[in-house]
Amino acid sequence: MTWQPIETALRDGTEILATDYDSIEIIHWSNPDLVGPCWIDRYGDFYFPSFWQPLPEVPELPDPASA
């Protein structure tokens, strides 16, 4: 996966991985009543990203019988 400009990110509420150059956060596009459309992290804080990429797939659990 490569970083893409935030202008190309999904704005349907899907969580994405994003960076503002100082940190990397999981965020989503939201439309709070009082503020209007914006990027929000999992704690409900505003985030101002520059780049994004899809979240990676979660690895499969190992088979307990083979452990």
Side-chain angles (χ1 to χ4, degrees):
M1 290 183 261
T2 60
W3 291 104
Q4 302 170 48
I6 196 62
E7 296 79 22
T8 65
L10 302 170
R11 285 182 165 78
D12 62 0
T14 301
E15 288 189 324
I16 60 172
L17 194 61
T19 183
D20 63 358
Y21 290 103
D22 289 327
S23 63
I24 296 174
E25 298 284 341
I26 295 174
I27 65 171
H28 67 278
W29 186 251
S30 184
N31 193 2
D33 292 335
L34 299 175
V35 180
C38 57
W39 292 106
I40 303 287
D41 68 16
R42 286 184 163 181
Y43 304 103
D45 295 327
F46 297 114
Y47 195 73
F48 302 95
S50 300
F51 294 92
W52 78 284
Q53 59 180 286
L55 289 174
E57 293 292 322
V58 176
E60 290 186 35
L61 289 172
D63 180 10
S66 66

